[in-house]
Amino acid sequence: MKSANLVTRKLSMFLTVCLMFITAFFVGCNKDDSVVNNTETAGLSATEDAAESVASAVGEDNGGVVDQVGDLLESAQTEGFSALSKSSGTESKEAVYDSINGIWTITLFRERGNPAGPYYAKFERIYNVQLLNQDGNPQKHYITNGDTAYTITFDIVSGTGYHKTRRLTHELKDLAGSLVATNTNTRLVTVNGTYSRAATDTVTTKNAERTLDYKLDLVLTDVTGPRGSRRDLSKKISGEITGNYSAFVTFTRGDAYLEKEIERSIHIVFGGDGNANIAVNGEKFSGDVASGELVSN
């Protein structure tokens, strides 16, 4: 009798252990499936969306970082700020000089492209610009009494704007920056400084539409370009930009990925061929510097 009870107890324990292993196996499989399905759905990627947003914020034609660098390069010439209203599209400019502090306040309005087409931009910028001679003293013009400006300080006071590309629509909320150009007495100018931008980007692809409400903080390190001209600038600049991108994501249509709050480190290197190599948390992308559009993963 005791032997039968012992066998019964051992059989019961064996079945219990087997049931625990089977349950754990299926729970583990379901958990793994959940992670895969929610992290990447229908090819969507939070990191790629961040790269698309960053490429847009850097682009020249849509009023990104390279557009402001172009304005800075153009200010280093004898024509001064009159050259800032000579690029493509509809533009207007106002320049007012503060002789006490030696600072120009520049207000620019630009409109590029066709509102009904795939590429369009309309934006306004306000800059404070100071030209400094070899001794570091302010002067009114690039060349004043025979002295050439060796350094230019270029503060982005504010900005408003809207632009779109084939996949992205952008509404600017806040813009600021503090840039310094050195070697402005030579053919090749070097730009260093900080740049920040807050905006909402709506990204539309085949399977989904989502809005990224973001903040982008960047540091420009030895970004170089030709003095006095922005023609084909996207193919002539070099240097790098580092920083941080943070965004809150809202899906309004289609499939979604798991992340709602995106935090990514940014590293951009200008290749001198019209493309920007954009690393987002180390993952590599390529952006078209002129259009501000992500071109490949």
Side-chain angles (χ1 to χ4, degrees), residues 51-239:
E52 186 86 59
S53 193
V54 170
S56 172
V58 170
E60 180 182 13
D61 291 345
N62 53 22
V65 177
V66 176
D67 181 70
Q68 277 87 83
V69 170
D71 286 340
L72 175 49
L73 296 173
E74 279 194 302
S75 67
Q77 61 178 314
T78 53
E79 289 185 78
F81 304 110
S82 63
L84 298 183
S85 58
K86 290 185 177 181
S87 59
S88 62
T90 301
E91 303 190 359
S92 64
K93 176 211 63 182
E94 180 182 276
V96 178
Y97 186 67
D98 176 359
S99 59
I100 297 176
N101 296 301
I103 295 175
W104 287 94
T105 297
I106 312 297
T107 302
L108 288 174
F109 171 81
R110 289 188 172 126
E111 187 173 19
R112 296 167 174 160
N114 182 348
Y119 298 97
Y120 176 71
K122 180 173 68 174
F123 53 90
E124 184 179 86
R125 302 287 183 263
I126 299 177
Y127 305 137
N128 281 344
V129 184
Q130 190 173 53
L131 308 171
L132 304 174
N133 64 18
Q134 188 174 9
D135 297 323
N137 297 318
Q139 58 186 48
K140 185 173 184 179
H141 302 292
Y142 176 67
I143 298 177
T144 301
N145 298 325
D147 285 340
T148 302
Y150 277 61
T151 302
I152 299 176
T153 65
F154 189 93
D155 292 333
I156 304 168
V157 179
S158 64
T160 60
Y162 164 89
H163 71 255
K164 67 175 180 175
T165 60
R166 290 176 297 174
R167 294 181 295 271
L168 181 145
T169 301
H170 172 93
E171 292 279 356
L172 182 62
K173 299 194 297 184
D174 188 58
L175 184 70
S178 182
L179 307 177
V180 177
T182 55
N183 304 320
T184 56
N185 60 312
T186 68
R187 184 185 63 84
L188 197 63
V189 175
T190 301
V191 179
N192 290 276
T194 58
Y195 182 95
S196 64
R197 188 183 192 101
T200 56
D201 284 347
T202 299
V203 182
T204 303
T205 51
K206 181 178 180 180
N207 295 317
E209 183 174 279
R210 56 275 191 199
T211 297
L212 298 92
D213 190 350
Y214 79 83
K215 179 72 161 52
L216 180 65
D217 294 303
L218 300 175
V219 176
L220 284 71
T221 303
D222 294 338
V223 174
T224 61
R227 178 183 65 81
S229 173
R230 70 189 307 156
R231 184 174 182 178
D232 294 327
L233 179 60
S234 63
K235 298 179 180 179
K236 296 178 180 178
I237 62 171
S238 63

Side-chain angles (χ1 to χ4, degrees), residues 255-277:
D255 300 314
Y257 40 70
L258 182 63
E259 290 181 81
K260 299 305 178 188
E261 295 185 14
I262 302 174
E263 288 284 344
R264 297 291 190 273
S265 63
I266 305 298
H267 185 198
I268 302 166
V269 178
F270 295 107
D273 57 356
N275 288 329
N277 300 312

